[in-house]
Amino acid sequence: MIDARRLAGAVGRRSRPERHRFDPMGRSTNGGAAVPRSRPTGIATTALLILAFLTVSPASPARAADLIIANGGFDDGLTGWSGSHSPGGVTAVTWQGRTSAQIADTDATKAYGRESMPSLPAAAGTRYAVFAKVWAESGSADLYLRFRDDTGALLSSAYTHVTATGQWTDVRAAATAPAGATRVSALIYSGVANVGTAYWDDIRVSAAVTNLGVQLESDVPNGTAFDAAGGTVYAVYTGTEARNPRLAVIDVAGETVTRKIELPDSAASPTVGGWAATVATDGSVYLGTYPNSKLYRYVPGQTTVSDLGRAEGGYSFIWDIEPGSGGEIYGGTYNDARYFRYQNGAFTTMGAVPIRPGKENVRSIAHDPVANATYLGLGTNAGLVRYDNATGRTDDLLPAAYANESMVGDLTWTGDRLFAWLNRTLLVLHVVRNADGSYRGDVDAVIGDAELHVSPARDGKVWFVKDEVLQSYDIAGRTVSATSARPGMDVTGYGWAGNTLVALGGAPTGTKVFKYTPATGQWTSRGVSSVPILPAAINALGTGPDGKIYTGGYLTGGTGVYDPLHGDADDNTPDTPTLTGLHQTDSLLAAGSKLYIGVYPSAKLYEYDPTRAWNPGTNPVLRYTGGAAGDIADDCGAGQGPPPQDRPYALAAAPDGTVYMGSVPKYGKRSGALSIWKAGTQGRTLCVVPGQAVVSLAYQGGKVYGGTSARGALGVNPVFPPGAQSTLFAYDPATGGVTTYPLPAAVTNRLAITDVTAVDGDIWGFAEGWLFVFDPGTGRYTTATQLFPGIDYKADPTHAWRDANLTTVPWDTGHVYGSIGDQIFRIDKSTKALTVLHTEKGMDGLAADADGNLYYKIGETLRRYVP
Ligand SMILES: [Ca+2]
Ligand SMILES: [Ca+2]
Ligand SMILES: [Ca+2]
């Protein structure tokens, strides 16, 4: 909950124009397969099927969620599986640990089968696939996908034929629904000539492309402001591009939301969330939002919020706002580091833009109404400016010792002192006017490990959270005193209700309100009821060791879990309650029985065991913190170590359980690093390629291979150092040595290698749009070919950390699958020929399930492509 995490919002996704069209035919599982010896058709069964259809309600409108075959796992005997072909032959049994359907075919003149009925809705022209687990103990077995029209007439089918598997085997069949098709079903089948026994389980159907809906929800506040009496709190709840944020009006005494109001926006300029909120002297509530730096006003008692317009153009944030006098408002922005005033319906830019050269953020502001001066907390790097609103004079106040910090994340002017928060350090500054009219900031106190935000002063003290308990700072005595009160939340704002300190904030259980009375020491921390619950954008996705697809929330954090092809019918809410306790997930990796989760900020590595209950602190457990290693003054220069790390975009694991994490450093630094952790060790962080981030990793043959990005952290100018080129490197755990393998000279676009993946002993990767294959045995590149000429990170630097993904799937050993830009593709392993399979604007990420289906995300929704 620190400024760094918040600034992540400054990294937006810009979609590329579509370059390819979705191929609706895709591939067919049985293409080229032998002609079946018998086809499962028959007049006798047609009448039965028509009867079955009469009992089915009319086809529901096309929906995005999973198509679920009722009793597809035979947990309920053969319910939902209609007989086809010859009577008998099929029995519900338990076989090798699975409830299943047994087809015992002892007759070489008869066929046996069962079809999923009622069938599922289908759309003509859409490709569908059926998946199953089959154990063919003897003879053969067939899995069919069948299409029918509204009368129940069979129009076409596709099938896959397997012989004596002797074990549970995944099988699939796919085909495009023909003209007139409105229904799709699955058939398990044993042919006329066949004699044998087969067991079937877990029959599932999917369309080629499925929107699986929202995966994560958030119910914690962001921008928070108290009214003057402290009886009401106004808090912004973040939404997504598709779902508008909400203002919640919270009654402190009742600990409940009394009103929820949507912030209006337009489709062309969606408002996603807001970090800034304040109450003006006239009682109006102002909200500052992103990514369009809009200012909103709410007049208490009304039912709507007014859109007052933008503080600046482009991709921009209002980070913080403060009340001036006479109902005016002061604010600060990303990305122009603008200081502005809003007064009488108009925005006025105050001073220079940016307010200091090279800065992008006025991240925090505080206002002194007596002096009519405003304090501006800047980044990157950190700066602190006193702005005289009457004269326009500016003075720099940040002590030199903090010049390497990223930014001033929070500022409060209260009790005649300025409280400045930088990377968990709370500075108490006494602002003094020099004889020549300039100002300086004398340090009264330095308080370490403080959480963001301090309270307004009361009785000579301010209050804040440190070491998980409420503490006070005595302004005159310059002393810190701890209480035993535990707010149990990330505080987003403080106020006073009479003589009781009130704080609002977010906890794993949702929004909480904390109350503390200094006179008695009595306190409570309780949940707020009726708060807005909004979907959260997906930041990262990956496959767990349990085969489920895990998602991590953007900015608000949280973890979502989706069980492939077993989702629910509601696209607007997650299938399972959001698992809370982790901040923004940047990477996920299944290794052994564990799921490793790389979390921003401070490049935290968590380990989660899906077989045990989610219980943050224990499971997942924090294994390593890349942000706690290194020195903020270093940047892997000569004689230097790494700077603290922030964004863990890459994970890889060795068979011995060692986990490797590649990362982007903290704000204002260029050198990412390789972190290494193994059970029983402390873990460590190494410089590998000075001046470059480590954004992709793969383990192969005893070494770790990594791809770098020439893009360092945010707040570094220029974004790409002149002449910088990414490289492949290898780290040898046996020697601790790092070897770089410069890309072949032919590669013209090479600002970032956003993926490396081990394939058949080689390392495949993408340098911008260039596919390369590296042979670790010879140390040489065997392939370098530009498959996507349009990929250009100079023009699109937002993708220089994350873009390409490569994966292999068990059922197709001849191809490597992947995604880059807005496309899913496959590459022929031998010829390196590219086939673009699917294009969808705004897609990101890639994860494969056990059936080799590919998952990606758009905004808050998880989607599946069936190759
Ligand atoms: Ca089963
Ligand atoms: Ca037979
Ligand atoms: Ca759902």
Side-chain angles (χ1 to χ4, degrees):
M1 298 311 222
I2 63 178
D3 63 330
R5 172 175 172 246
R6 296 178 168 191
L7 196 67
V11 184
R13 169 112 179 109
R14 273 179 281 149
S15 299
R16 296 192 183 85
E18 291 190 22
R19 283 187 287 266
H20 298 269
R21 288 272 157 211
F22 170 43
D23 166 16
M25 295 305 290
R27 73 184 303 284
S28 165
T29 304
N30 62 330
V35 174
R37 284 166 290 169
S38 62
R39 288 197 169 271
T41 53
I43 292 167
T45 56
T46 304
L48 172 68
L49 292 166
I50 290 171
L51 280 173
F53 263 90
L54 293 176
T55 65
V56 176
S57 55
S60 54
R63 66 176 186 203
D66 271 332
L67 294 165
I68 300 291
I69 294 175
N71 192 34
F74 304 103
D75 289 337
D76 191 17
L78 296 178
T79 302
W81 291 88
S82 295
S84 70
H85 307 87
S86 303
V90 186
T91 320
V93 300
T94 296
W95 175 255
Q96 301 290 340
R98 287 181 165 274
T99 52
S100 56
Q102 178 201 55
I103 304 185
D105 183 345
T106 57
D107 191 332
T109 66
K110 289 179 177 168
Y112 300 94
R114 289 269 176 160
E115 183 171 3
S116 61
M117 285 290 160
S119 57
L120 296 161
T126 296
R127 188 166 51 85
Y128 292 84
V130 58
F131 305 91
K133 289 191 178 300
V134 63
W135 182 310
E137 181 71 0
S138 58
S140 64
D142 299 284
L143 176 67
Y144 273 81
L145 184 68
R146 292 182 135 189
F147 296 106
R148 298 173 184 276
D149 65 14
D150 274 338
T151 71
L154 181 63
L155 301 181
S156 71
S157 59
Y159 77 103
T160 294
H161 177 81
V162 298
T163 51
T165 63
Q167 60 181 349
W168 286 116
T169 301
D170 291 313
V171 58
R172 49 188 277 142
T176 297
T182 58
R183 311 295 296 183
V184 60
S185 59
L187 169 70
I188 53 175
Y189 178 72
S190 175
V192 173
N194 183 54
V195 172
T197 301
Y199 302 86
W200 293 92
D201 194 18
D202 206 14
I203 320 294
R204 293 145 290 150
V205 167
S206 176
V209 178
T210 305
N211 181 350
L212 301 163
V214 168
Q215 300 295 304
L216 297 144
E217 288 176 334
S218 173
D219 56 359
V220 296
N222 297 136
T224 299
F226 283 75
D227 73 351
T232 304
V233 195
Y234 303 92
V236 179
Y237 285 74
T238 292
T240 68
E241 286 202 5
R243 289 283 291 274
N244 290 26
R246 302 288 197 276
L247 169 67
V249 180
I250 299 169
D251 175 51
V252 169
E255 300 175 352
T256 188
V257 171
T258 56
R259 184 168 278 168
K260 287 175 263 204
I261 307 169
E262 188 173 307
L263 272 58
D265 67 359
S266 67
S269 178
T271 299
V272 173
W275 295 113
T278 200
V279 177
T281 54
D282 63 2
S284 293
V285 180
Y286 286 84
L287 311 172
T289 65
Y290 67 88
N292 50 13
S293 66
K294 270 192 177 173
L295 190 67
Y296 291 87
R297 178 169 52 219
Y298 173 66
V299 176
Q302 294 189 349
T303 56
T304 59
V305 171
S306 308
D307 178 350
L308 305 176
R310 302 185 64 173
E312 68 186 42
Y315 188 88
S316 54
F317 289 39
I318 293 178
W319 275 134
D320 200 2
I321 49 179
E322 281 273 305
S325 58
E328 69 188 6
I329 292 292
Y330 293 103
T333 71
Y334 169 89
N335 129 63
D336 294 345
R338 181 189 309 267
Y339 169 45
F340 70 87
R341 178 174 65 197
Y342 182 83
Q343 184 186 39
N344 300 327
F347 291 92
T348 306
T349 293
M350 310 285 280
V353 179
I355 192 72
R356 280 287 183 266
K359 306 299 185 193
E360 295 174 331
N361 295 275
V362 174
R363 177 62 189 83
S364 51
I365 70 172
H367 183 70
D368 173 1
V370 174
N372 192 22
T374 303
Y375 297 94
L376 311 173
L378 310 181
T380 302
N381 286 350
L384 177 55
V385 165
R386 180 187 188 276
Y387 188 96
D388 186 315
N389 292 309
T391 67
R393 178 193 172 90
T394 57
D395 291 280
D396 289 286
L397 304 185
L398 188 72
Y402 300 92
N404 280 323
E405 294 294 344
S406 300
M407 64 186 78
V408 177
D410 191 52
L411 280 175
T412 306
W413 173 266
T414 190
D416 211 29
R417 290 294 182 275
L418 183 64
F419 295 82
W421 187 97
L422 299 99
N423 190 24
R424 304 188 66 78
T425 295
L426 183 60
L427 286 183
V428 185
L429 296 176
H430 182 198
V431 180
V432 178
R433 187 175 187 274
N434 296 314
D436 65 357
S438 64
Y439 287 83
R440 68 178 193 272
D442 291 346
V443 178
D444 269 7
V446 178
I447 302 166
D449 245 343
E451 301 296 333
L452 194 67
H453 297 304
V454 297
S455 79
R458 179 67 64 101
D459 298 329
K461 294 177 180 173
V462 299
W463 300 81
F464 55 95
V465 177
K466 172 179 160 63
D467 301 330
E468 297 183 11
V469 296
L470 184 72
Q471 311 218 7
S472 64
Y473 172 75
D474 185 294
I475 294 169
R478 304 185 191 181
T479 52
V480 175
S481 303
T483 71
S484 58
R486 293 180 172 272
M489 62 190 191
D490 291 319
V491 174
T492 53
Y494 289 99
W496 289 93
N499 291 315
T500 296
L501 175 70
V502 182
L504 190 81
T509 51
T511 302
K512 288 177 88 173
V513 61
F514 169 77
K515 300 174 184 174
Y516 177 82
T517 305
T520 64
Q522 289 192 318
W523 63 277
T524 58
S525 181
R526 287 192 286 251
V528 175
S529 59
S530 303
V531 300
I533 300 171
L534 291 167
I538 298 169
N539 190 58
L541 64 154
T543 312
D546 52 359
K548 294 177 179 172
I549 305 299
Y550 287 80
T551 47
Y554 180 54
L555 292 179
T556 50
T559 305
V561 187
Y562 165 76
D563 188 1
L565 294 148
H566 291 101
D568 68 16
D570 179 1
D571 284 352
N572 293 316
T573 58
D575 293 6
T576 53
T578 300
L579 303 171
T580 57
L582 299 190
H583 288 165
Q584 176 177 305
T585 292
D586 278 352
S587 51
L588 294 145
L589 174 75
S593 62
K594 304 289 176 27
L595 178 67
Y596 291 91
I597 308 173
V599 171
Y600 167 87
S602 289
K604 290 181 172 169
L605 177 68
Y606 289 89
E607 181 185 273
Y608 172 59
D609 177 353
T611 66
R612 295 161 47 223
W614 180 273
N615 182 19
T618 306
N619 189 38
V621 58
L622 177 63
R623 291 304 193 189
Y624 187 70
T625 302
D631 188 318
I632 194 68
D634 287 357
D635 206 357
C636 293
Q640 292 185 341
Q645 300 295 300
D646 218 10
R647 300 176 189 273
Y649 284 129
L651 293 171
D656 70 354
T658 304
V659 180
Y660 298 90
M661 177 170 70
S663 51
V664 172
K666 291 273 186 189
Y667 290 79
K669 297 293 172 179
R670 291 203 182 273
S671 299
L674 180 68
S675 295
I676 305 167
W677 175 85
K678 187 182 179 187
T681 71
Q682 290 291 310
R684 60 213 168 92
T685 298
L686 313 172
C687 292
V688 281
V689 180
Q692 304 217 354
V694 179
V695 296
S696 51
L697 289 175
Y699 183 89
Q700 174 59 43
K703 292 179 184 172
V704 182
Y705 293 85
T708 67
S709 173
R711 182 173 195 192
L714 289 180
V716 178
N717 286 306
V719 171
F720 300 108
Q725 299 187 337
S726 62
T727 186
L728 179 72
F729 70 86
Y731 170 77
D732 184 347
T735 65
V738 173
T739 308
T740 55
Y741 296 98
L743 289 164
V747 178
T748 52
N749 292 50
R750 48 171 69 194
L751 285 173
I753 296 173
T754 58
D755 189 74
V756 289
T757 297
V759 178
D760 301 337
D762 288 338
I763 299 297
W764 288 46
F766 265 95
E768 299 198 67
W770 285 76
L771 170 72
F772 65 79
V773 178
F774 175 81
D775 179 353
T778 62
R780 303 176 74 95
Y781 291 89
T782 56
T783 296
T785 178
Q786 191 175 24
L787 297 183
F788 296 93
I791 304 278
D792 176 2
Y793 298 147
K794 192 133 210 156
D796 177 22
T798 59
H799 289 96
W801 288 336
R802 284 195 300 181
D803 193 8
N805 305 276
L806 290 167
T807 190
T808 52
V809 300
W811 59 270
D812 180 3
T813 54
H815 294 92
V816 175
Y817 287 77
S819 65
I820 194 167
D822 290 339
Q823 295 145 115
I824 290 176
F825 57 81
R826 71 164 186 254
I827 299 168
D828 186 295
K829 279 184 183 176
S830 344
T831 66
K832 308 300 184 296
L834 170 74
T835 306
V836 172
L837 302 170
H838 181 55
T839 300
E840 200 166 348
K841 194 178 177 194
M843 64 156 286
D844 265 318
L846 195 72
D849 68 15
D851 291 300
N853 299 317
L854 303 175
Y855 295 80
Y856 55 98
K857 54 100 170 173
I858 297 179
E860 69 270 35
T861 62
L862 181 69
R863 299 178 186 223
R864 174 176 56 241
Y865 176 77
V866 176

